[in-house]
Amino acid sequence: MALFQPQFTGNSLTARTVGRDRRALAIVLLITIFIFGGIGSRLAYLQLIEGEHLQQLAERNRIRVIPKQPERGNIFDRNGKVLASSRLSHAVYIWPQAPKKDTWETTRTRLASILKIPETEIQQRLDKAGYNSPNLVRIARDLNPAQITALAEYRNELRDVEVYIEAVRNYPNQQIAAHILGYTGEMNDEELAQKRSEGYRLGDIVGQMGVEAAFEKQLRGEWGGQQVEVDGAGRILRLLGEKTAKSGRDVHLTLDLELQKAAEVALGDRQGAIVALDPNNGAVLAMVSRPAFDPNIFSKRITPEIWQQLQSKQHPFINRALQSFPPASTFKVITTTAGIESGKFSHNATLPTYGCMNIGGTTFCDWNRAGFGRLGFVGALAWSSNTFFYQIGKGVGESTLIDWTRRYGFGQKTGIELASEESAGLVADDRWKQKNLNLPWSVGDTVNMSIGQGFLQVTPLQLAVMFAVPANGGYRVQPHLLKDNEDSKNWRESLNLKPETVRVLRQGLRQVVSGGTGQVLNLPTIPPVAGKSGTAQAFGKQAHAWFGAYAPADKPEIVVVAFAEHSGGGGGKVAAPMVLKVLETYFKK
């Protein structure tokens, strides 16, 4: 008999229930291991694999960069007068990480209303920057006082918006030298993609034209800024580091501001260009193009509508001093050179001139339809006899005339720093004509070219380089805008002209002014001048007027070329008076 009889009030052990409690305990244990194993694995993944990335995200939320834009270098004329500088203004920025969904729409709408900018444009700027960017994104520049006041008044609605003072470009002379100086503007997407490897960033202001673009590296400077720690509300807690912005380097140009102003007045409202340069070393003293623009307008936002309006006014952003046109009778300088240098004509040769001539079955006439009797090179230049130079062109032939045209620098860029805006012009030949017109070169083409017509295209700057050759005794100069102390010989190369060629050119160009087609420049108010007029036919439109000159005739210091596009009238009547005004200003100084 058993001493103790176990008593069960609950489940009783049977064959079916033996081991069930152990299995339940094992299942609970397995579930617990699985859960904690998953948590552990996730923690290990986050810590070991994603740890660095997550830490960077946390840092980005905690650390922000307040950029400091560098002040752009100044631009001065040859005498130290300011052509472009910087002034302080207010700009609006947004933190890309800061906008909250519940308040961003209100912020964006308010900003758009104050700044007069479409909401879509503001949104696009943030989207481009990326919402993980720790850098501020500029929304608008050069705010007016009313906008600054409004931003302050609505500060509670604009918690993620910052207003900072920064430098913007300022051109104190407005339109004066606009085409040379150019302007600055914010980079577009394509420009940013090209320059990102050079350290440029979204919102960077760069030179978009002229000297501003050509000397971007010198003028730009280096960004600076502050790295700060912020709390959850975006308030700055402490300064972590600071880099001082480095200003760009100043650029000194060869331009003479007072001479530039005189050239601007001389050209007036005519569509065209004036170029003045030192014939001894190619330094550009003045360069004017019309119509013009005020580069200060680009300190503010340019809407597509404003840009369209600016472009519709006869293309004011085209520098006509660097665009090509038929040079007309000014080209007779080169025909004279080719005639004497070829040996086909003596420097003292004379030829009969005619009212009209039949060459290759085509009638070519002199400009007076009567001729000038028998002339030599000097007299032919003075009276600009077409029939004289027809005979010279035909006599030397196509290849010799084209060769000397190219030696003078036509058909190629001059080497001036504004190369991206400069036309090479056109010196056509048989290959060009066959390719473009499917026709062979003819004697008529050579005859037309001999007086600067036909297919020939030349820029006002190239023509100034041409006039510098007889002025300096036979050297082709390289025009340049950057002032330096280099010897003039580094800016020019000899064309190896015969002394008699130079002498004939200088005598002929002097007689143009003393008794020929340029007598408007034969005044006692300026030293003796040498030069040449040109009137270029433009089919279906009024003719172009040219005049190129240098002075003093015996020891030249300055070359001036004036060009009036579709002005009508002759070069001696329309363009020569422009040259006179520039020379009067130069020699008064």
Side-chain angles (χ1 to χ4, degrees):
M1 182 177 186
L3 295 176
F4 300 100
Q5 180 69 32
Q7 307 211 353
F8 296 94
T9 59
N11 297 329
S12 58
L13 289 173
T14 65
R16 293 182 178 182
T17 60
V18 171
R20 279 187 179 179
D21 288 343
R22 293 176 182 174
R23 285 199 302 271
L25 182 60
I27 289 171
V28 171
L29 183 60
L30 286 173
I31 292 173
T32 302
I33 292 172
F34 178 78
I35 291 173
F36 280 97
I39 294 172
S41 298
R42 181 61 178 169
L43 289 173
Y45 173 80
L46 293 175
Q47 181 67 29
L48 300 177
I49 299 176
E50 288 290 314
E52 183 177 351
H53 174 64
L54 294 173
Q55 184 178 4
Q56 289 177 355
L57 291 178
E59 287 295 309
R60 286 177 180 173
N61 288 326
R62 184 176 66 86
I63 298 172
R64 295 180 182 172
V65 176
I66 301 175
K68 177 66 174 177
Q69 183 178 335
E71 186 171 332
R72 202 166 175 83
N74 300 309
I75 303 175
F76 298 97
D77 85 335
R78 67 187 302 108
N79 300 309
K81 294 180 180 178
V82 177
L83 299 174
S85 60
S86 299
R87 60 179 174 82
L88 297 179
S89 71
H90 292 78
V92 176
Y93 287 83
I94 291 181
W95 294 108
Q97 298 172 333
K100 308 297 188 294
K101 288 184 179 180
D102 56 340
T103 61
W104 170 234
E105 204 169 306
T106 301
T107 301
R108 188 180 61 203
T109 301
R110 179 63 67 189
L111 263 184
S113 174
I114 294 173
L115 302 176
K116 308 300 181 188
I117 297 177
E119 289 188 48
T120 54
E121 188 173 321
I122 296 175
Q123 188 63 52
Q124 286 171 357
R125 285 179 174 269
L126 280 185
D127 293 341
K128 287 178 185 177
Y131 291 91
N132 288 326
S133 172
N135 298 305
L136 283 163
V137 176
R138 187 195 299 111
I139 302 299
R141 307 165 60 215
D142 200 20
L143 305 184
N144 60 45
Q147 290 171 326
I148 298 170
T149 301
L151 289 169
E153 289 177 352
Y154 291 99
R155 181 63 186 167
N156 291 335
E157 294 182 22
L158 305 171
R159 293 181 57 191
D160 304 321
V161 176
E162 304 285 351
V163 177
Y164 289 100
I165 294 176
E166 64 179 24
V168 298
R169 209 56 166 160
N170 181 53
Y171 303 90
N173 302 295
Q174 286 84 43
Q175 292 192 11
I176 303 297
H179 290 90
I180 291 182
L181 298 175
Y183 62 92
T184 61
E186 194 169 314
M187 285 192 300
N188 57 34
D189 293 343
E190 183 179 345
E191 292 169 331
L192 179 60
Q194 294 173 349
K195 290 182 174 289
R196 195 183 291 275
S197 61
E198 300 174 34
Y200 286 86
R201 62 186 77 184
L202 182 68
D204 263 0
I205 305 300
V206 297
Q208 299 284 358
M209 177 182 167
V211 167
E212 293 281 19
F215 297 104
E216 167 68 18
K217 290 184 178 179
Q218 294 96 312
L219 293 167
R220 178 191 175 200
E222 295 180 10
W223 277 84
Q226 293 179 328
Q227 189 178 51
V228 297
E229 182 180 0
V230 298
D231 61 16
R235 293 185 294 266
I236 295 176
L237 298 177
R238 62 190 176 107
L239 177 66
L240 300 177
E242 183 171 8
K243 178 185 177 182
T244 303
K246 184 178 179 181
S247 298
R249 301 198 303 274
D250 294 339
V251 169
H252 294 259
L253 302 183
T254 59
L255 287 185
D256 184 316
L257 179 58
E258 296 308 312
L259 195 66
Q260 179 75 23
K261 290 178 178 178
E264 304 261 0
V265 172
L267 186 56
D269 294 328
R270 291 186 183 90
Q271 194 165 298
I274 293 179
V275 175
L277 56 78
D278 183 333
N280 299 301
N281 63 10
V284 177
L285 305 176
M287 183 185 289
V288 182
S289 178
R290 284 284 188 277
F293 63 95
D294 183 352
N296 288 300
I297 62 177
F298 292 95
S299 294
K300 298 179 180 291
R301 173 177 171 268
I302 300 293
T303 65
E305 294 77 20
I306 292 176
W307 180 252
Q308 187 63 36
Q309 291 174 9
L310 290 170
Q311 289 284 32
S312 66
K313 297 178 180 179
Q314 298 297 320
H315 306 290
F317 297 99
I318 292 177
N319 187 346
R320 282 168 168 79
L322 304 179
Q323 301 304 304
S324 56
F325 309 89
S329 292
T330 59
F331 181 78
K332 291 170 182 175
V333 168
I334 295 178
T335 307
T336 298
T337 303
I340 300 174
E341 291 291 322
S342 69
K344 298 288 182 67
F345 298 91
S346 167
H347 68 278
N348 57 8
T350 61
L351 297 172
T353 61
Y354 309 92
C356 292
M357 298 176 67
N358 187 291
I359 302 175
T362 302
T363 299
F364 295 88
C365 294
D366 221 315
W367 63 268
N368 68 350
R369 299 278 174 166
F372 300 88
R374 197 167 190 88
L375 293 174
F377 281 106
V378 173
L381 284 168
W383 291 108
S384 198
S385 171
N386 289 341
T387 56
F388 178 92
F389 288 102
Y390 293 154
Q391 296 172 77
I392 300 298
K394 182 184 176 184
V396 301
E398 165 203 352
S399 59
T400 299
L401 185 59
I402 289 175
D403 177 55
W404 275 104
T405 303
R406 290 176 174 156
R407 288 198 205 185
Y408 267 83
F410 292 0
Q412 58 188 289
K413 295 188 177 185
T414 63
I416 195 170
E417 295 91 337
L418 310 183
S420 63
E421 302 167 38
E422 184 182 16
S423 168
L426 174 63
V427 179
D429 54 18
D430 181 67
R431 185 172 61 178
W432 178 91
K433 192 178 179 186
Q434 292 276 13
K435 178 181 178 182
N436 290 275
L437 301 176
N438 198 28
L439 291 171
W441 190 268
S442 69
V443 65
D445 294 322
T446 304
V447 167
N448 258 334
M449 186 177 180
S450 70
I451 63 165
Q453 292 283 177
F455 306 114
L456 189 64
Q457 297 281 310
V458 176
T459 71
L461 182 61
Q462 287 174 330
L463 210 59
V465 171
M466 182 198 77
F467 277 105
V469 173
N472 63 34
Y475 295 88
R476 191 180 84 191
V477 296
Q478 178 182 325
H480 58 280
L481 289 165
L482 187 64
K483 184 183 177 184
D484 54 47
N485 296 316
E486 287 186 324
D487 189 22
S488 62
K489 66 182 180 182
N490 296 321
W491 292 104
R492 65 187 197 177
E493 62 176 306
S494 176
L495 296 184
N496 297 313
L497 299 180
K498 300 173 184 176
E500 53 266 32
T501 302
V502 176
R503 185 169 62 252
V504 166
L505 286 173
R506 298 187 75 163
Q507 288 176 353
L509 295 176
R510 174 60 189 141
Q511 281 201 20
V512 168
V513 176
S514 64
T517 59
Q519 294 183 56
V520 69
L521 291 163
N522 197 29
L523 297 175
T525 56
I526 54 177
V529 178
K532 183 73 187 75
S533 61
T535 306
Q537 301 304 312
F539 295 104
K541 295 183 180 180
Q542 289 187 307
H544 307 305
W546 291 93
F547 203 96
Y550 58 82
D554 58 340
K555 193 175 181 181
E557 300 174 14
I558 182 173
V559 166
V560 181
V561 169
F563 168 70
E565 186 178 356
H566 299 304
S567 61
K573 293 182 178 179
V574 177
M578 301 183 204
V579 174
L580 174 61
K581 291 181 180 179
V582 177
L583 292 177
E584 284 179 335
T585 299
Y586 178 84
F587 287 108
K588 280 180 182 177
K589 292 180 65 177

